[in-house]
Amino acid sequence: MLFLVAALLLFGVVLGTVAHAPLTFSVAIGLVIAVWLGIFAIRERHGRGRSTSAH
């Protein structure tokens, strides 16, 4: 429950920051985060595929 409260508090802070930032800045940061998450997902998938085939 405490985790949920902390997550909602952080979500509110982030949304409040985005609401006061220019739209272009928000879109640029969103794209950076999306690319970062995509790279992370590809690296995780590649790493897991390699570790399961080694066993």
Side-chain angles (χ1 to χ4, degrees), residues 2-17:
L2 186 60
F3 175 75
L4 181 61
V5 171
L8 288 174
L9 179 65
L10 182 62
F11 188 63
V13 169
V14 170
L15 282 181
T17 303

Side-chain angles (χ1 to χ4, degrees), residues 4-49:
L4 181 61
V5 171
L8 288 174
L9 179 65
L10 182 62
F11 188 63
V13 169
V14 170
L15 282 181
T17 303
V18 170
H20 294 289
L23 182 61
T24 55
F25 177 76
S26 299
V27 170
I29 294 299
L31 286 174
V32 168
I33 293 171
V35 168
W36 176 57
L37 287 174
I39 291 170
F40 177 77
I42 290 169
R43 289 181 67 193
E44 282 292 313
R45 182 171 296 194
H46 179 67
R48 287 182 187 214

